[in-house]
Each structure stands twice: as structure tokens, then as C-alpha cells.
Amino acid sequence: MSGAGAAARRETARRPADSWTRALRERIERTVPPGQALPDRQPVFVSSWIYVFGVLTVASLVVVVATGCVLAVGGVAWWHVSSLGHFVNSLHLWSVELFFGFMVIHLWGKFWMAAWRGGRLLTWVTGVIAFVTSIGTAFTGYLSQSNFDSQWISAEAKDGINAIGVGAWFNVLNPGQMLLWHVVLLPLAIGLITVLHVVLVRRHGVVPPIDARDGE
Amino acid sequence: MSEVATHTPTRPRQTRPGRPHPVATRTPDSHSFATRPYDLVKEFVVALAVVALLTAALAAVFSSPDERSITMSGWAQAAPADVVATATSELAGTSVSATYGAPYNTASEGQKVLGIPLQKWGGVRIPVDSAALVLDPLTRAAADAPTKAALAAWRSAPAGTRTAWATAYGDALAKAPDGNPAAVASGSYGPVPVLAQSFLAVARSGGLEGQLAASGNFYGGDQTRTILLLSDGAYLEDTARAQQLGGDQWGMMNETGNYPGQPWMWLYTFWYQVAPFSTSDNADAQVWGLMMVLTLGLMFLPLIPGLRDVPRLVPVHRLIWRDWYREHPPVRRDRPAPKTGDEPGR
Amino acid sequence: MVRAAAVMAASPHVVHWGWFRIELANLLIILAMVVVFVIAMVVPFGRSAWARDDSGDRP
């Protein structure tokens, strides 16, 4: 028996075919091959400022979540009674405005690039889901302010939600429920969809210019 | 596949005169192109620093709005006649919440979209008895003798009589100057004027929020009944309209003061301003339905012929990739272009 | 800064064109987004801190 054969047998014994760990690792590597997850080079056509708005959106999301976490430390009413709390609320508000601004500019850019080409439909779809989920998250934030604005917005918004029959499950007049959606469920959803979106971007690479040919 | 990110690119093919490239029929693999150094992590860190600084600057300069919430005692102080009129309409069953339909009661069919009664299908899952919004706090409050007598008279009267009393008093209030209860013409109102005045007193005392929100629980939290009552009055809307927050003032995207609100809601807000929605009784259901369809349209825009071709037809991409196109001029198309692969599967 | 915050807290400025109306702050945000988008389109990317040009090719 050759030494090489024994080594191969040992290798097979070390890596059982039904290893769940190995299956998961290979699944991950198939989805995003190692060099593609964090490449240090990009195609030469990646040469426009419009490319930075995706990263700016993710960076804004980080600031939104971080400032939201600081608000959470103080509790629901902290920002009404503390000047520091009010400043953190201001940080939270303006980071949200920047987040949406950058996200929409990113969307405009990707539209004009027809960035869904080359099997990238799901990347586009997850981007739109992230946008819509963000709108819902911001909305629950407005309902969680515990001030006049949230009183009025909830009084108005109930009619829209009730009109489609879901007002009892998503009760905008219940600030406790809205706060939990705002700080747990919806951020979790945005986090997951953002990860999926970025994984898809890395998996497919940056979309080539319209009318570009293979290997140029 | 692991080496694709640093794939050795082939040289750009030369276009020979008279033999143009065939027009690309599919989107090439992104990894087949020449590359150059691009530091994603550095880009992210710079972006994070820029956003953090920009946020801090905007927050420091502009701050953020915090218009204090309306309290029931504030409402009672500022607009006592409105509180009395609202209490009367709750007893008469004519308030907005009393005639709402699902999910609060069965008083109306609710809104429909394309004839489908989605609101009704949702069911009455948060039952709200509008008269109880007034009677419960009065019963729980340490009421004086006249209030106790009025409550007893109300409870012992037949439903038709109660409604007749409260409706008559509501009509009389509407005719009185400024809705002033003291200036109401005399009539057959039963115990309603006493109940409404006592309700005003409870509201003034500051105890109403707790009475409505707690429902026997030490911890409140659900403000459904409180906000329904508040929005049955005119005071909440008057205050909102003064801040440009009314539904017909494009208020859904606005914020109190001069602060930016939710400009991303512009399209949702827009539909409420134009016919047929601006005059429809089913506007909420219709606008929601329309926005769902439009959102699906945006989501699956890459599959919609015509719309997905716009980026190719309007040459913004020539601007974005101008460096690339300078190096790789588009070939002249001597023959009709085959399908050019804007659809996402290609 | 205090003055800027006071201006923000004042009663809202609204811009009207016929049936169209928008709060000035929202309008300014949308205009700023359009301006930033156009700038991103027009300004040459050149060499940023994170993207270098090494003649566009590496064997």
C-alpha cells in the first residue's frame, strides 16, 4: 500500500462526508469565495464618486444604531429632561436624515447604472426591501418620541393601518408596542437584510458598465 | 474561484476597422476585468468618520424638535368647550371613534379597496366603547353627589333616551356661541350636561390619562383609548394644523417647527392631495393599496420591460463610467441590436 | 448655534406652488440630495484615499 493512498484515506477519515460544519463552510465559500469577501482590488471601471454612497449608507446606519443605543441607556423619557439626552436625540435624528439621503442617492445611482444586470436582481430586491423596512423603522421612531409629534402622527397613521385591516396587530396607538418594534424587531430586520444585500454585492462583484464586453 | 478577485485580466481587444464587436448580448463577469487597488476598509472608515462628524455638526447647530405632548388637563385648560363637546359626542355615539368600525367597534363597514372590505376583515380586536371613555373615569373618580346622581340617571335610562339626550345636548352646544356650555339654550338633555361638566373637571384634575390608559393595570402603556378620545376633539387637530401637520397640508412628511420630517414619505403624502383620493371616503385603503403596488413595481423594476430600459436610453451611465468609455469607445452598430441584456438574468 | 436652533423651533416655513406645498426644511433636504447626486456624477473620482491608480492593470 502506497504512502499516498494511506494519506488520502486518513484525509477522508478526517473529513467525514456528512460533517455539517464542513457543509456550512463549503456553502459559505460557494456563496462568497474567500478572495471576494474583502478584495483589495476592484475593476478599473469602479471610478466614480457615486460608488461611495452604498458605504456611506452603511456608515450612517452604524451611527444611527450607535446613537439609538445611547438613547436606550437613558430610557424612554430621558431625552425630554436631560440636555445630554436631547443632544443624543439630535444626533439620532440627523444621522437618520443622512442615512436616508445617502440611501436614496445610492438608489438613484444604481438605477442609472441598471445595476440589476448580470444576475443581480436579488441584490436590487434586497436593497428595495431595506429601503421600505427603513421607512417603517423611522416611522415607529416618530411614534416612540412620547411628545406631541407622536400623538399626532399616531392619531393620523391609525387610519391608514386600520384601513388595510392590520391595525390590531400593529397598533400605532400603543407606544409600548411601537417602541419594541422600533428598537428590536425592525433594526434586526434591517441588519439582516443589509448583511444579505452586502453579501450579494460581494458575491457578484460590481456591475460592469452597460455594453461592456467580456474580458475588457 | 478563490482567485477571481485578482484575476489576470486580458488586454482589451482591439476593434478592427470594418469588423465591429458584436454588441454585448450578456453582462460580462465583473471579475474578468482589469483591476486596480481599492481599499474597501479604508473607504468604510473614512465614510464612518465623515458621517459621524457631519451628524455631530448638524445636531450641534440645529438640535432637534421636542414639542411637549398635549395633556388632558392642558386640553381642558386650553379648550374646555371642546372637552365638553367631545364628551357629549362620545355619549351620543356620534364621535369619530364611536362611528369608526374595525378594529374598535362595528359601527361602520370601514374602508374598502377595490370593493374588498379589508378593514372589516381585520375584525373588532381592540373593542372600544366610546361612552365608556367618559363614564369609566367618572365612575372611578371620587365623584360628588350630583355626578353620582347623573350617572345613576344615565344608567337607568333606556338606550334610545340616552342617545336622544346626548344628541340634543350636542346640537345645542354646536349652536351656542363658541360652543360655550354656559350659553346653551335650555332643553331636554337629561343628565348629560352634568356628566360632561364632571368629565371636564376630571380632565382638569390631571387624572384622566391614568384612568383611560391603565385599565386596572398598574403599568399603563397602551394609549389607544387616550389618543382616540383626544383625536375625537378638535384641539389636537387645531394644534397640528398650526404646525402645518394636517393631512391636506402634506403634513405626513412634516415635523413640528422648521425641522425636516420624513421627506421619504413624499409619494405616500402626495396621493392624499390629488383626486380621486383627496375626495374619497376610502382614501387610506386606496393609497395604501396603491403604494403597495408601486413598491412591488420598484422592487421588480428590473423585470418590467420599458422601465428597465430607461438607464440604457438615458445616457447617465456615460457620465458615471466616462473614464471607462473613454478607454473603450462604444462600437458603431451596423445592424439592429439584439436584446441587450438589461434584464437581470443575463 | 442657539440662534439656528431657535429658527428651527419657530413656526414652520412652507413653500406653495398652487396645490403643491412643502415645508422648507424638507425641500432643502431634497434639493441637497439632488445637488450631492449631481456633484457625485460630475466631480472626477481621480485618486481617493482608498482607490489608487496603478495604471489599471495587474498581471
Side-chain angles (χ1 to χ4, degrees):
Chain A
M1 187 180 286
S2 73
R9 250 203 331 277
R10 273 202 304 279
E11 177 68 11
T12 312
R14 260 209 315 275
R15 296 169 52 195
D18 62 348
S19 163
W20 292 13
T21 307
R22 188 171 140 217
L24 176 62
R25 188 183 66 227
E26 288 176 359
R27 182 72 187 81
I28 291 170
E29 286 175 359
R30 254 201 330 277
T31 305
V32 184
Q36 265 170 257
L38 275 177
D40 56 6
R41 301 180 70 82
Q42 289 293 332
V44 282
F45 57 75
V46 179
S47 172
S48 165
W49 283 104
I50 198 66
Y51 282 104
V52 304
F53 286 89
V55 166
L56 278 170
T57 308
V58 177
S60 308
L61 180 60
V62 170
V63 177
V64 170
V65 171
T67 52
C69 287
V70 179
L71 279 177
V73 170
V76 185
W78 174 53
W79 75 283
H80 296 303
V81 293
S82 149
S83 56
L84 176 62
H86 193 107
F87 180 66
V88 177
N89 179 73
S90 306
L91 292 174
H92 197 57
L93 167 69
W94 287 103
S95 58
V96 168
E97 298 286 346
L98 289 173
F99 171 68
F100 274 98
F102 292 143
M103 182 160 44
V104 170
I105 294 172
H106 175 65
L107 186 150
W108 291 345
K110 293 301 150 186
F111 171 78
W112 291 114
M113 294 158 131
W116 50 76
R117 290 170 296 127
R120 292 171 176 82
L121 172 65
L122 197 55
T123 317
W124 174 271
V125 169
T126 51
V128 174
I129 294 174
F131 179 48
V132 174
T133 314
S134 300
I135 290 176
T137 312
F139 171 67
T140 52
Y142 279 87
L143 295 178
S144 302
Q145 294 175 95
S146 59
N147 60 11
F148 169 72
D149 208 30
S150 37
Q151 283 178 315
W152 173 247
I153 290 174
S154 60
E156 284 290 273
K158 73 173 192 305
D159 297 335
I161 312 262
N162 288 335
I164 54 163
V166 297
W169 291 274
F170 188 83
N171 182 8
V172 295
L173 303 186
N174 183 345
Q177 186 190 14
M178 290 304 106
L179 181 67
L180 289 173
W181 276 77
H182 182 66
V183 302
V184 180
L185 300 176
L186 291 169
L188 204 58
I190 291 182
L192 286 175
I193 201 79
T194 303
V195 167
L196 185 57
H197 185 70
V198 173
V199 164
L200 284 167
V201 171
R202 293 297 359 124
R203 172 180 164 79
H204 293 288
V206 185
V207 73
I210 291 174
D211 287 339
R213 290 168 299 267
D214 231 343
E216 277 187 330
Chain B
M1 278 296 279
S2 62
E3 73 280 17
V4 283
T6 51
H7 176 80
T8 304
T10 51
R11 299 299 308 166
R13 276 173 258 153
Q14 297 298 314
T15 306
R16 273 173 282 172
R19 280 199 62 196
H21 271 300
V23 172
T25 53
R26 52 175 286 275
T27 304
D29 185 353
S30 169
H31 305 101
S32 67
F33 289 82
T35 61
R36 64 170 177 166
Y38 197 101
D39 195 338
L40 287 173
V41 173
K42 189 187 259 185
E43 183 190 19
F44 176 76
V45 171
V46 171
L48 189 58
V50 167
V51 174
L53 287 173
L54 209 49
T55 300
L58 288 165
V61 174
F62 295 120
S63 185
S64 56
D66 188 15
E67 189 88 10
R68 288 174 64 85
S69 54
I70 293 176
T71 61
M72 294 301 188
S73 69
W75 180 21
Q77 302 287 346
D82 186 40
V83 175
V84 169
T86 305
T88 305
S89 70
E90 305 293 6
L91 293 173
T94 54
S95 67
V96 174
S97 70
T99 55
Y100 196 89
Y104 310 122
N105 50 49
T106 53
S108 88
E109 284 284 294
Q111 295 195 25
K112 299 185 175 100
V113 59
L114 300 176
I116 304 167
L118 287 177
Q119 182 166 351
K120 192 177 180 186
W121 285 354
V124 180
R125 289 171 193 279
I126 310 175
V128 175
D129 173 1
S130 291
L133 295 178
V134 175
L135 298 173
D136 282 0
L138 288 182
T139 309
R140 288 198 197 123
D144 51 14
T147 307
K148 282 183 179 155
L151 280 168
W154 175 268
R155 293 212 171 95
S156 59
T161 309
R162 294 179 195 172
T163 309
W165 282 337
T167 308
Y169 189 54
D171 292 345
L173 280 172
K175 284 184 196 138
D178 297 327
N180 181 3
V184 164
S186 58
S188 174
Y189 311 132
V192 175
V194 176
L195 294 174
Q197 278 299 330
S198 299
F199 185 74
L200 177 63
V202 174
R204 244 188 211 127
S205 74
L208 196 49
E209 285 93 336
Q211 301 276 12
L212 289 170
S215 310
N217 187 344
F218 180 86
Y219 296 97
D222 184 356
Q223 302 296 335
T224 302
R225 283 150 50 95
T226 330
I227 296 184
L228 283 179
L229 176 70
L230 187 60
S231 57
D232 281 341
Y235 182 63
L236 177 69
E237 179 157 10
D238 289 346
T239 312
R241 293 193 70 79
Q243 292 272 8
Q244 303 292 332
L245 297 174
D248 58 351
Q249 296 172 309
W250 298 66
M252 263 168 277
M253 54 192 284
N254 292 348
E255 173 59 277
T256 53
N258 272 307
Y259 286 94
Q262 302 178 77
W264 45 87
M265 301 270 262
W266 70 272
L267 189 57
Y268 178 69
T269 311
F270 162 80
W271 294 119
Y272 282 95
Q273 320 303 322
V274 295
F277 311 106
S278 56
T279 54
S280 168
D281 290 336
N282 294 301
D284 293 301
Q286 289 164 344
V287 170
W288 265 82
L290 180 63
M291 285 305 290
M292 283 180 191
V293 171
L294 292 175
T295 302
L296 282 175
L298 178 65
M299 199 178 287
F300 295 107
L301 184 143
L303 302 177
I304 303 173
L307 280 180
R308 70 175 178 213
D309 303 318
V310 170
R312 176 181 298 278
L313 300 173
V314 183
V316 178
H317 62 276
R318 295 276 154 199
L319 195 56
I320 295 173
W321 287 307
R322 60 187 177 279
D323 293 351
W324 167 264
Y325 290 124
R326 202 178 300 121
E327 300 288 319
H328 306 82
V331 292
R332 197 165 55 87
R333 290 174 186 177
D334 291 328
R335 50 191 167 168
K339 278 187 71 74
T340 47
D342 276 0
E343 58 270 52
R346 306 285 281 273
Chain C
M1 284 188 198
V2 173
R3 181 179 293 178
V7 168
M8 298 298 275
S11 59
H13 289 83
V14 175
V15 181
H16 291 260
W17 287 286
W19 59 272
F20 179 83
R21 58 189 287 152
I22 187 167
E23 262 191 8
L24 186 61
N26 283 339
L27 179 65
L28 290 177
I29 290 231
I30 293 169
L31 287 179
M33 285 165 62
V34 172
V35 167
V36 170
F37 178 72
V38 170
I39 288 173
M41 290 281 144
V42 173
V43 171
F45 187 59
R47 286 181 209 144
S48 66
W50 53 88
R52 294 193 312 280
D53 198 349
D54 61 352
S55 79
D57 212 336
R58 195 181 77 168

